[in-house]
Amino acid sequence: MNSKEFADRLRARESVVGYWVTMDAPVATERIARVGYDYVVLDGQHGLLGIRGLLDGLIAIEAGGTPTVGLVRVEANNATPIGRALDAGAAGVIVPLIDTAEDAAAAVRAARYPPSGIRSFGPTRAGLRVGPVPAESDAATVVLAMIETRQGLENVAAICATPGLDGIYVGPSDLCLAVGGRYPGDPEVAEAFDAAIELIARTAGEAGIAAGVHTPSGEVARRRLGEGYTFATVSSDLDHLQAAAAAHLAATGLR
Amino acid sequence: MNSKEFADRLRARESVVGYWVTMDAPVATERIARVGYDYVVLDGQHGLLGIRGLLDGLIAIEAGGTPTVGLVRVEANNATPIGRALDAGAAGVIVPLIDTAEDAAAAVRAARYPPSGIRSFGPTRAGLRVGPVPAESDAATVVLAMIETRQGLENVAAICATPGLDGIYVGPSDLCLAVGGRYPGDPEVAEAFDAAIELIARTAGEAGIAAGVHTPSGEVARRRLGEGYTFATVSSDLDHLQAAAAAHLAATGLR
Amino acid sequence: MNSKEFADRLRARESVVGYWVTMDAPVATERIARVGYDYVVLDGQHGLLGIRGLLDGLIAIEAGGTPTVGLVRVEANNATPIGRALDAGAAGVIVPLIDTAEDAAAAVRAARYPPSGIRSFGPTRAGLRVGPVPAESDAATVVLAMIETRQGLENVAAICATPGLDGIYVGPSDLCLAVGGRYPGDPEVAEAFDAAIELIARTAGEAGIAAGVHTPSGEVARRRLGEGYTFATVSSDLDHLQAAAAAHLAATGLR
Amino acid sequence: MNSKEFADRLRARESVVGYWVTMDAPVATERIARVGYDYVVLDGQHGLLGIRGLLDGLIAIEAGGTPTVGLVRVEANNATPIGRALDAGAAGVIVPLIDTAEDAAAAVRAARYPPSGIRSFGPTRAGLRVGPVPAESDAATVVLAMIETRQGLENVAAICATPGLDGIYVGPSDLCLAVGGRYPGDPEVAEAFDAAIELIARTAGEAGIAAGVHTPSGEVARRRLGEGYTFATVSSDLDHLQAAAAAHLAATGLR
Amino acid sequence: MNSKEFADRLRARESVVGYWVTMDAPVATERIARVGYDYVVLDGQHGLLGIRGLLDGLIAIEAGGTPTVGLVRVEANNATPIGRALDAGAAGVIVPLIDTAEDAAAAVRAARYPPSGIRSFGPTRAGLRVGPVPAESDAATVVLAMIETRQGLENVAAICATPGLDGIYVGPSDLCLAVGGRYPGDPEVAEAFDAAIELIARTAGEAGIAAGVHTPSGEVARRRLGEGYTFATVSSDLDHLQAAAAAHLAATGLR
Amino acid sequence: MNSKEFADRLRARESVVGYWVTMDAPVATERIARVGYDYVVLDGQHGLLGIRGLLDGLIAIEAGGTPTVGLVRVEANNATPIGRALDAGAAGVIVPLIDTAEDAAAAVRAARYPPSGIRSFGPTRAGLRVGPVPAESDAATVVLAMIETRQGLENVAAICATPGLDGIYVGPSDLCLAVGGRYPGDPEVAEAFDAAIELIARTAGEAGIAAGVHTPSGEVARRRLGEGYTFATVSSDLDHLQAAAAAHLAATGLR
Ligand SMILES: [Mg+2]
Ligand SMILES: [Mg+2]
Ligand SMILES: [Mg+2]
Ligand SMILES: [Mg+2]
Ligand SMILES: [Mg+2]
Ligand SMILES: [Mg+2]
């Protein structure tokens, strides 16, 4: 519905901000969508949602009644989950673990209708959004490649140059391990990590595509948006809910 | 498992604190249970959980591996939902809209095995917790009557005197409307509301039963525990998650 | 969202038309909502939907993005299912098997917040639609009483005079049995049935409330709307789908 | 499908035997149905199935492809769950906790179409089995009243005389508590219990209706069928599965 | 159950006709199965069904009680979804996007037990249908390769010659794009499309295997069956339901 | 929770015993976990569980409150289902159809965090069990390779030598077909089958890794544990339940 407008803004490298959902709880996802983020991502890789959870989540996002669009982080760089997420109504996909330009090109092909891609026709839920010409709906569908492996980092320029790719998306936890960190946020590799963060944003900027990043909070999102990133996602529902429950428990003074 | 110990503490009017769940999201409920509250309540009345959601939630609470017990706020003061919640493994029930001592007695009877009550035998999931003698499991099952109507407030002393009732539980939103408020928290009836809050805690104390109250936060819970209440629930998952998402969005500086 | 506007139109006895859903299939319900009916009813009595199905269906109707509102035909005239349907986001309830004015008054009370009713506060999903004052949301919530029993037919005038009742709704199958038919549509009681249909519409009109009727098709709906009825529902998804499948099979020429 | 034949056999007091399902696991229920019992009961009272579980279970029983029919032990003696179970395709209902002839008459009325009963028309899933005349389907629908309370035992003759009641069904666990047992199978009340068992079977026999009983095993079922009972159910899936798992563990020799 | 007979008829190139299901709604699928089609296909690629939806749909088809068999259009040409569909009870698979004879051979291998294939043993739900010798069940399992890509069209003769392949199946929407159409049904490529349709049917006929085609209606199915196709599927539940709802709305005269 | 201890025992080639679950029925899985097996396997390949079923099953195993750990037999040797099972809380994976040492190495890599493997970080449900350093959790995660194909049998020594592999697991049904059996248990290949069984256990022993085997009963498990196997799984819930139902039916004497 708003997916074309969202895609336009993302491609124009306007600042957009999203929220990351890892649980199969449509009523929660609908509430989050009503908060007013530009997009909500349903995590099909590390999230605890199956096909039905992705579908219900995408419906819930639209039920929110805001312009918020639903994206899916697919479980793998594979045409099947990419096609299913889009047929279920996602406005775009975040594809994990992109190592090479070939990987990125495969992701793009899977998400585009012929003649530019190989997406099979059958937009069962998305159908009403797609006009008579399937290929025209490519304009309303974003494809984002995750940079989070050593190889992906080395090949970031080639990946960013992939025709049809709308943006890259940094997975900081995996990226930190990739640069030698023992755990996400390991201070021993802070320099290498920060250099990678900077390099990726710069490279995307030079390629003229969107530069996105995963963050744990609105504060970090704000910082990244000031460091060359054009979109940032705040993550995640389960973590924030657990943190809230813990904070309230502490506030009772009984623990 | 820990339900006897929990019941003992609640009946001894020790301070205990819980969290209120309104959504059918077992992975979230499991996380909340791991935080360490004494109890987690699954809301079968205003919450968005069916029978399957209550069951999955009770399983998730035990999966948390902490001593936290699961309670159910049943959809109505009716032997059927009370029995089903207990058979599914709840350590107790919070029964809404109790107007009279007769109402409270009916709730107690529904939750107790013969000879003191009429609970039908069939603890399908709870079974392993109940020893060979069903009536002995009554000691591990708490029954809490909600005071939240004008009639209930008028009859609070009689309700508190109901044999077998373990405690009362204040529903502040309905109670505020009951004392003439136009909306929950209406300052125009603050005096009457505060008097009711005080009266209920005092009456329960005089009857020697637990006095519980629903609250929106750990801070309010702490305050109520200092005002004569012996247990307080922080509410709720959906509200706290929405608030967190909104706060993170504000922190991005983009809205 | 559009529930106030819908309620206003229904109460003004404008002609409105709806569709009747009996299955737990949110993607189908969303498609139907997009077709553009004024309302879609989820059948909680004879339909094959549990609590989760009603909730998912109401979300799907809003995801349709049209002004279509979702109603629930509750399983019984009981405050619990009425409250749960409204808390889940229904814009109103159709209450079956109303025999007397007292029945109708109980249904109205269950759906209205204090001071006019006894609806308990906890609009978990509907919350965002309700303003700060719960009672104000009564204006956006319709209550419709089914006339489908012999007693209900005899008491139709008294039922229509129930304060706060927004309309009546004819269940023709049960009504036909009630007037002595051996089966729905039994021609042997056609005269009595037609007289009842006419009487009910006229009585509602005299009372100034909406007059609704269940129909099997758009054609019958059109006819009823020309006979004094102000709203009509076309029923149902399962029947129409089965009929379509059978018609296509016949058209293959292989059967 | 086979429900008329089953009802005929049950009413003729032929020996029939069934199996008791307490879990929401359609693939297991389908397997059990294929084993060849005359009926399979889905337990809506103490079982862990919601509306969707009952529906899926009834579908699974028919998928078994045997003449086995599906019954539902409803959650309470209430027209709503009775109607919903039958609309979902149950061939009959077992109604718990019948205390009086009035209770039994209410159960019968809820399960019969007019003119003999008050069942509302809307056989959404059962529809294809019901001929054009709803009341004719009563012949294919059995209503069984549980005798398991002290009052029910005292009133057993009056209950058995209820017009339209097809049989009674003994709930031994509750019955044992009702005659003063401290737990199901309490040897201290064995005499009273055995007398009750004998009395109920004899009374049903004198009334010419079916006499059924709940049992833990085929062996006990066989014994009861030799003691005047005409149908017996072996219970239950969860218990038998747990027992099998425990027996296999013991057989490993590692515990 | 009837899968051997169905496979025999399909392989003998008798005319058979099916219906296409895209939604997770077992009660609807059961109704469709009762209509009397030879087969019903559950769409695991573009349909909105996960693993549980496929399983419930296959159970529902058997519950229909007709000889109708259930097939699954798998999400991809991959041994995992092929095996899972068959283990869940599908009588055969329709495999999308077959480009080459090697693709077709891989699909066949995945669906056949050793020694002719590599299907892993574990027919968890299908088990009772398979006799003691797994390989014998291959005779009751059909494998159908979709021709819908440019490459597939070019290789249609080689694909049809794949040993063990039971038939091909045309996906007209993708095929139309493959021959250069801008959208399904694009009149500008009608000639090329019609030639492809003709070529595929003829090639399958020459190879002696079944020739199937996807159609939007019984009328088109009838036409294709007169043009050399031996089986045709009418599609789909969601589209037909939406069309029916729209037609009824139009018939009300209010839109 | 207990996964490290379990992994230590398994790696030390202590005798451990498990149970095999093929159905999506958390309450049954919880009961089985309470019986006291060392591990329970959820079958994601031939079992009838989707992503949600695996997740609910893993939660249910922990709710059992025993030291029993949950494993998943993944649907294929693919990093995506391996990662998802572990993120959902599995203490390890059984990977089917391992043909070569390369296959085994890929399975190991998919289950290990960097630097030894490529598991992507996002332990959404498992998170609390993993300490700050992801790679340390590898010590609590077992990877087991199934030997069940001709190739796998030929390469068993190389497979057992795979660094990081914790054990092998024999799938006797597929293995029997692989050695030329016409059906599982075919006596005509008993000699070859027994030799394979012996060879696999011996090879694993020589490699110092755990040797596991699938069995139909505790008796066979005991036998295999005396023949060089260090762990054995009893299979399965659906089979044992069906057998129990059949045995009880036979015991009634009515069939
Ligand atoms: Mg990552
Ligand atoms: Mg309240
Ligand atoms: Mg009716
Ligand atoms: Mg009982
Ligand atoms: Mg296609
Ligand atoms: Mg195998």
Side-chain angles (χ1 to χ4, degrees):
Chain A
M1 208 159 315
N2 313 288
S3 53
K4 177 63 170 59
E5 188 183 322
F6 172 76
D8 287 345
R9 291 182 57 207
L10 186 117
R11 287 167 183 150
R13 292 178 48 85
E14 287 184 32
S15 289
V16 295
V17 65
Y19 194 85
W20 194 265
V21 164
T22 67
M23 66 181 176
D24 182 354
V27 291
T29 301
E30 183 190 26
R31 288 239 194 159
I32 291 164
R34 291 193 180 185
V35 160
Y37 284 88
D38 296 300
Y39 63 93
V40 169
V41 185
L42 303 171
D43 184 359
Q45 182 193 22
H46 295 299
L48 302 166
L49 305 99
I51 292 275
R52 177 71 189 253
L54 294 178
L55 179 63
D56 287 348
L58 290 169
I59 293 175
I61 291 167
E62 294 201 33
T66 58
T68 305
V69 301
L71 305 180
V72 171
R73 196 250 298 259
V74 290
E75 64 180 15
N77 184 11
N78 178 305
T80 302
I82 290 172
R84 297 198 78 175
L86 297 177
D87 289 348
V93 286
I94 297 179
V95 186
L97 300 169
I98 298 293
D99 283 337
T100 64
E102 288 68 37
D103 286 352
V108 170
R109 265 198 312 276
R112 304 289 179 219
Y113 282 113
S116 63
I118 60 164
R119 181 176 170 193
S120 174
F121 187 80
T124 312
R125 183 171 170 265
L128 308 171
R129 190 153 48 200
V130 176
V133 178
E136 288 173 1
S137 78
D138 293 350
T141 307
V142 298
V143 183
L144 306 167
M146 288 194 75
I147 306 295
E148 54 181 342
T149 61
R150 177 168 293 277
Q151 258 199 289
L153 183 59
E154 290 167 3
N155 294 324
V156 64
I159 291 168
C160 287
T162 305
L165 187 71
D166 296 306
I168 49 81
Y169 188 75
V170 175
S173 295
D174 276 329
L175 183 65
C176 185
L177 302 187
V179 299
R182 293 174 62 248
Y183 52 89
D186 185 349
E188 299 217 2
V189 297
E191 204 171 327
F193 179 78
D194 290 347
I197 288 286
E198 192 275 335
L199 171 69
I200 296 169
R202 184 160 37 85
T203 307
E206 289 166 1
I209 64 173
V213 63
H214 200 72
T215 76
S217 68
E219 286 75 12
V220 177
R222 175 179 214 153
R223 177 152 55 83
R224 293 298 185 211
L225 291 171
E227 293 173 352
Y229 283 89
T230 66
F231 69 106
T233 323
V234 177
S235 173
S236 69
D237 51 357
L238 277 172
D239 289 341
H240 294 160
L241 181 52
Q242 179 179 332
H248 282 294
L249 179 57
T252 65
L254 286 189
R255 290 291 183 286
Chain B
M1 205 157 318
N2 313 287
S3 53
K4 177 64 170 59
E5 188 183 322
F6 171 77
D8 287 345
R9 291 182 57 208
L10 186 117
R11 287 165 183 151
R13 291 178 49 85
E14 286 184 33
S15 289
V16 296
V17 64
Y19 194 85
W20 194 265
V21 165
T22 66
M23 66 181 177
D24 182 353
V27 292
T29 301
E30 184 190 25
R31 289 240 192 157
I32 290 164
R34 291 192 180 186
V35 160
Y37 284 90
D38 297 300
Y39 63 93
V40 168
V41 185
L42 302 172
D43 185 358
Q45 182 192 23
H46 295 300
L48 301 167
L49 305 99
I51 292 274
R52 178 70 189 254
L54 294 177
L55 179 62
D56 288 347
L58 290 168
I59 294 175
I61 291 167
E62 295 201 32
T66 58
T68 306
V69 301
L71 306 180
V72 170
R73 196 251 299 259
V74 291
E75 64 179 17
N77 184 11
N78 178 306
T80 302
I82 290 173
R84 298 198 77 174
L86 296 176
D87 289 348
V93 286
I94 297 180
V95 186
L97 301 169
I98 299 293
D99 284 335
T100 64
E102 288 69 36
D103 286 352
V108 171
R109 266 197 314 276
R112 305 289 180 220
Y113 281 113
S116 64
I118 59 165
R119 180 176 170 193
S120 175
F121 186 79
T124 313
R125 181 169 173 267
L128 309 170
R129 189 152 50 200
V130 175
V133 178
E136 288 173 1
S137 80
D138 293 350
T141 307
V142 298
V143 183
L144 305 167
M146 288 193 76
I147 306 296
E148 53 181 342
T149 61
R150 176 168 293 276
Q151 257 200 291
L153 183 58
E154 290 167 2
N155 295 323
V156 65
I159 291 168
C160 287
T162 305
L165 187 72
D166 295 305
I168 50 80
Y169 188 75
V170 175
S173 295
D174 276 329
L175 184 64
C176 185
L177 302 187
V179 299
R182 291 174 64 249
Y183 52 89
D186 185 350
E188 299 216 1
V189 296
E191 204 171 326
F193 179 77
D194 289 347
I197 288 285
E198 192 275 335
L199 170 69
I200 296 169
R202 183 158 39 82
T203 307
E206 290 166 2
I209 64 173
V213 63
H214 200 71
T215 76
S217 67
E219 286 75 12
V220 176
R222 175 178 216 154
R223 176 151 56 82
R224 293 298 185 212
L225 292 171
E227 293 173 350
Y229 282 89
T230 66
F231 68 106
T233 322
V234 177
S235 172
S236 69
D237 51 358
L238 277 172
D239 289 341
H240 294 161
L241 182 51
Q242 178 178 332
H248 283 293
L249 179 57
T252 65
L254 286 189
R255 290 290 181 288
Chain C
M1 208 159 312
N2 314 287
S3 53
K4 177 64 170 59
E5 187 184 325
F6 171 77
D8 287 345
R9 290 183 57 206
L10 186 117
R11 286 167 183 150
R13 292 178 48 85
E14 287 184 32
S15 288
V16 295
V17 64
Y19 194 84
W20 194 265
V21 164
T22 66
M23 66 181 176
D24 182 353
V27 291
T29 300
E30 184 190 25
R31 288 242 194 157
I32 290 164
R34 291 193 180 183
V35 160
Y37 284 89
D38 296 300
Y39 63 93
V40 169
V41 185
L42 302 171
D43 184 359
Q45 181 192 22
H46 294 299
L48 302 166
L49 304 99
I51 292 275
R52 177 71 189 254
L54 294 178
L55 179 63
D56 287 347
L58 290 169
I59 293 175
I61 291 166
E62 295 201 33
T66 58
T68 305
V69 300
L71 306 180
V72 170
R73 196 252 296 260
V74 291
E75 64 180 16
N77 184 11
N78 178 307
T80 301
I82 290 172
R84 297 199 78 174
L86 297 177
D87 288 348
V93 286
I94 297 180
V95 186
L97 301 168
I98 298 294
D99 284 335
T100 64
E102 287 68 36
D103 286 352
V108 170
R109 265 198 314 275
R112 305 289 179 218
Y113 281 113
S116 62
I118 60 164
R119 181 176 170 195
S120 175
F121 187 79
T124 312
R125 183 170 171 266
L128 307 171
R129 191 153 49 200
V130 176
V133 178
E136 288 173 0
S137 79
D138 293 350
T141 307
V142 298
V143 183
L144 305 166
M146 289 195 74
I147 306 296
E148 53 180 343
T149 61
R150 176 168 293 278
Q151 258 199 291
L153 183 59
E154 290 167 2
N155 294 323
V156 65
I159 291 168
C160 287
T162 306
L165 187 73
D166 296 305
I168 50 81
Y169 188 75
V170 175
S173 295
D174 277 329
L175 183 66
C176 184
L177 302 187
V179 298
R182 292 174 61 249
Y183 52 89
D186 185 350
E188 300 217 1
V189 297
E191 204 170 329
F193 179 78
D194 290 347
I197 288 286
E198 192 275 334
L199 171 69
I200 297 169
R202 185 159 36 86
T203 307
E206 290 165 1
I209 64 173
V213 62
H214 200 72
T215 76
S217 67
E219 286 74 14
V220 177
R222 174 178 216 155
R223 177 151 55 83
R224 294 298 185 210
L225 291 171
E227 293 173 351
Y229 282 89
T230 66
F231 68 106
T233 323
V234 177
S235 172
S236 69
D237 51 358
L238 277 172
D239 289 341
H240 294 160
L241 181 52
Q242 179 178 331
H248 282 293
L249 180 57
T252 65
L254 286 188
R255 290 290 182 287
Chain D
M1 207 159 314
N2 314 288
S3 53
K4 177 65 170 58
E5 187 183 322
F6 172 77
D8 287 345
R9 291 182 56 207
L10 186 118
R11 287 168 182 148
R13 291 177 49 85
E14 287 183 32
S15 289
V16 296
V17 64
Y19 194 85
W20 194 266
V21 165
T22 66
M23 65 181 177
D24 182 354
V27 291
T29 301
E30 184 190 25
R31 288 241 193 158
I32 290 164
R34 291 194 181 186
V35 161
Y37 285 89
D38 297 300
Y39 63 93
V40 168
V41 185
L42 302 171
D43 184 359
Q45 181 192 22
H46 295 299
L48 301 166
L49 306 99
I51 293 274
R52 178 70 189 254
L54 295 177
L55 178 63
D56 287 347
L58 290 168
I59 294 175
I61 290 167
E62 294 201 34
T66 57
T68 306
V69 301
L71 305 181
V72 170
R73 197 252 294 261
V74 291
E75 63 179 17
N77 183 12
N78 178 306
T80 301
I82 290 173
R84 297 198 78 174
L86 297 177
D87 289 347
V93 286
I94 298 180
V95 185
L97 302 168
I98 298 293
D99 284 335
T100 64
E102 287 69 37
D103 286 351
V108 170
R109 265 197 315 276
R112 305 288 180 221
Y113 281 113
S116 63
I118 60 164
R119 180 175 170 194
S120 174
F121 186 79
T124 312
R125 184 171 170 265
L128 307 171
R129 190 153 48 201
V130 175
V133 178
E136 288 174 2
S137 79
D138 293 350
T141 306
V142 299
V143 183
L144 306 166
M146 288 195 74
I147 306 295
E148 54 180 343
T149 61
R150 178 168 291 278
Q151 257 199 289
L153 182 59
E154 291 167 2
N155 294 323
V156 66
I159 291 168
C160 287
T162 305
L165 187 72
D166 295 305
I168 51 79
Y169 188 75
V170 175
S173 295
D174 276 330
L175 184 65
C176 185
L177 302 187
V179 299
R182 292 174 63 248
Y183 51 89
D186 185 350
E188 300 216 1
V189 297
E191 203 170 327
F193 179 78
D194 289 347
I197 287 286
E198 192 275 334
L199 171 69
I200 296 169
R202 183 158 38 83
T203 308
E206 289 165 1
I209 65 172
V213 62
H214 200 72
T215 77
S217 68
E219 287 73 13
V220 177
R222 175 178 215 154
R223 176 151 56 83
R224 293 297 186 212
L225 290 171
E227 292 173 352
Y229 283 88
T230 65
F231 69 106
T233 323
V234 177
S235 171
S236 68
D237 51 359
L238 276 172
D239 289 341
H240 294 160
L241 181 52
Q242 179 178 332
H248 282 293
L249 179 58
T252 65
L254 286 189
R255 290 291 181 287
Chain E
M1 208 159 313
N2 314 286
S3 52
K4 177 63 169 60
E5 188 182 322
F6 172 76
D8 287 345
R9 290 182 58 208
L10 186 117
R11 287 166 183 150
R13 290 177 48 85
E14 287 184 32
S15 289
V16 295
V17 64
Y19 194 84
W20 194 266
V21 165
T22 66
M23 66 180 177
D24 182 353
V27 292
T29 301
E30 183 189 26
R31 288 240 194 158
I32 290 164
R34 292 193 180 184
V35 160
Y37 284 90
D38 297 299
Y39 63 94
V40 168
V41 185
L42 303 172
D43 184 0
Q45 182 192 23
H46 295 299
L48 301 167
L49 306 99
I51 293 274
R52 177 70 189 254
L54 294 177
L55 179 63
D56 287 347
L58 290 168
I59 293 175
I61 291 167
E62 295 201 33
T66 58
T68 306
V69 300
L71 306 181
V72 171
R73 197 251 298 258
V74 291
E75 64 179 16
N77 184 12
N78 178 306
T80 302
I82 290 173
R84 297 198 77 174
L86 296 177
D87 289 349
V93 285
I94 298 180
V95 185
L97 301 168
I98 299 293
D99 284 336
T100 64
E102 288 68 36
D103 286 353
V108 170
R109 265 198 314 276
R112 305 287 179 221
Y113 281 113
S116 63
I118 59 165
R119 181 175 170 194
S120 174
F121 186 80
T124 312
R125 183 170 171 265
L128 309 170
R129 190 154 47 200
V130 176
V133 179
E136 288 173 1
S137 79
D138 292 350
T141 307
V142 299
V143 183
L144 305 166
M146 288 194 74
I147 306 296
E148 54 180 343
T149 61
R150 178 168 292 276
Q151 259 199 288
L153 183 59
E154 290 167 2
N155 295 323
V156 64
I159 291 168
C160 287
T162 305
L165 187 72
D166 296 305
I168 50 81
Y169 187 75
V170 175
S173 296
D174 276 329
L175 184 65
C176 185
L177 303 187
V179 299
R182 293 174 62 248
Y183 52 88
D186 185 349
E188 299 216 1
V189 298
E191 205 171 325
F193 180 78
D194 290 347
I197 288 285
E198 192 276 333
L199 171 69
I200 296 169
R202 185 159 37 83
T203 307
E206 289 165 3
I209 64 173
V213 62
H214 201 72
T215 76
S217 67
E219 286 74 13
V220 177
R222 175 178 215 153
R223 176 151 56 83
R224 293 296 186 212
L225 291 171
E227 293 173 353
Y229 282 89
T230 65
F231 69 106
T233 323
V234 178
S235 173
S236 68
D237 51 358
L238 276 172
D239 289 341
H240 294 160
L241 182 51
Q242 179 178 332
H248 282 294
L249 179 58
T252 64
L254 285 189
R255 289 294 180 285
Chain F
M1 207 157 318
N2 314 288
S3 53
K4 177 62 172 59
E5 188 182 321
F6 171 77
D8 287 345
R9 292 183 56 207
L10 186 118
R11 287 166 182 151
R13 290 177 50 85
E14 288 184 30
S15 289
V16 295
V17 64
Y19 194 84
W20 194 265
V21 164
T22 66
M23 65 181 177
D24 182 354
V27 291
T29 301
E30 183 190 26
R31 288 241 192 157
I32 290 164
R34 291 193 180 184
V35 160
Y37 284 89
D38 296 300
Y39 63 94
V40 169
V41 185
L42 303 172
D43 185 359
Q45 182 192 22
H46 295 299
L48 301 166
L49 306 99
I51 293 273
R52 177 70 188 254
L54 294 177
L55 178 63
D56 287 347
L58 290 168
I59 294 174
I61 291 167
E62 294 200 34
T66 58
T68 306
V69 300
L71 306 180
V72 170
R73 197 252 296 260
V74 290
E75 64 179 16
N77 184 11
N78 178 305
T80 301
I82 290 173
R84 297 198 79 173
L86 297 177
D87 289 348
V93 285
I94 298 180
V95 185
L97 300 170
I98 299 293
D99 284 335
T100 64
E102 287 69 35
D103 286 352
V108 170
R109 265 197 314 276
R112 305 288 179 220
Y113 281 112
S116 62
I118 60 163
R119 180 175 171 195
S120 174
F121 186 80
T124 312
R125 183 170 171 266
L128 308 170
R129 188 153 49 200
V130 176
V133 178
E136 288 174 0
S137 79
D138 293 349
T141 306
V142 298
V143 183
L144 305 167
M146 289 194 73
I147 306 296
E148 54 180 341
T149 62
R150 177 168 293 277
Q151 258 200 289
L153 183 59
E154 290 167 2
N155 294 324
V156 65
I159 292 168
C160 286
T162 305
L165 187 72
D166 296 305
I168 51 79
Y169 188 75
V170 174
S173 295
D174 276 329
L175 184 65
C176 185
L177 302 187
V179 299
R182 292 174 62 249
Y183 52 89
D186 185 350
E188 299 217 1
V189 297
E191 204 171 325
F193 179 78
D194 289 348
I197 287 285
E198 192 276 333
L199 172 68
I200 296 168
R202 184 158 38 83
T203 307
E206 289 166 2
I209 64 173
V213 62
H214 200 71
T215 76
S217 68
E219 286 74 12
V220 177
R222 175 179 214 152
R223 177 150 56 82
R224 294 296 186 212
L225 290 172
E227 293 173 353
Y229 282 89
T230 66
F231 69 106
T233 323
V234 178
S235 173
S236 69
D237 51 359
L238 277 172
D239 289 341
H240 294 161
L241 181 51
Q242 179 178 332
H248 282 294
L249 179 58
T252 65
L254 286 189
R255 290 291 181 285

